[in-house]
Amino acid sequence: MWTVVYIAQNKTRAEKIKDVLISEGLLVNLRGLGNDPDNMSKAVEILVPESEAEEAHEIINSILSV
């Protein structure tokens, strides 16, 4: 099951976080929010498998604290 681990403010930020998570060996999906989920100019959910959620949170926290 996929779990939301972060909501990025736009697609650009979501893609950057996704790239870092993938480089750490995690599986990642992105999903746009709002009326048109394919329009990713707004907020974007970053999802990982539930089993990888804790590791993803740790990585995201380290990215955001820099």
Side-chain angles (χ1 to χ4, degrees), residues 7-14 31-45:
I7 300 175
Q9 58 193 351
N10 56 46
K11 182 179 179 181
T12 302
R13 182 127 173 108
R31 180 171 60 199
L33 292 176
N35 294 336
D36 182 7
D38 294 327
N39 179 2
M40 297 177 98
S41 64
K42 298 186 179 175
V44 179
E45 292 179 329

Side-chain angles (χ1 to χ4, degrees), residues 17-38:
I17 294 171
K18 175 184 175 182
D19 290 345
V20 173
L21 294 174
I22 288 173
S23 73
E24 294 290 330
L26 282 80
L27 297 173
V28 182
N29 269 332
L30 299 180
R31 180 171 60 199
L33 292 176
N35 294 336
D36 182 7
D38 294 327

Side-chain angles (χ1 to χ4, degrees), residues 1 6-7 33 48 60:
M1 170 170 287
Y6 188 75
I7 300 175
L33 292 176
V48 300
I60 291 168

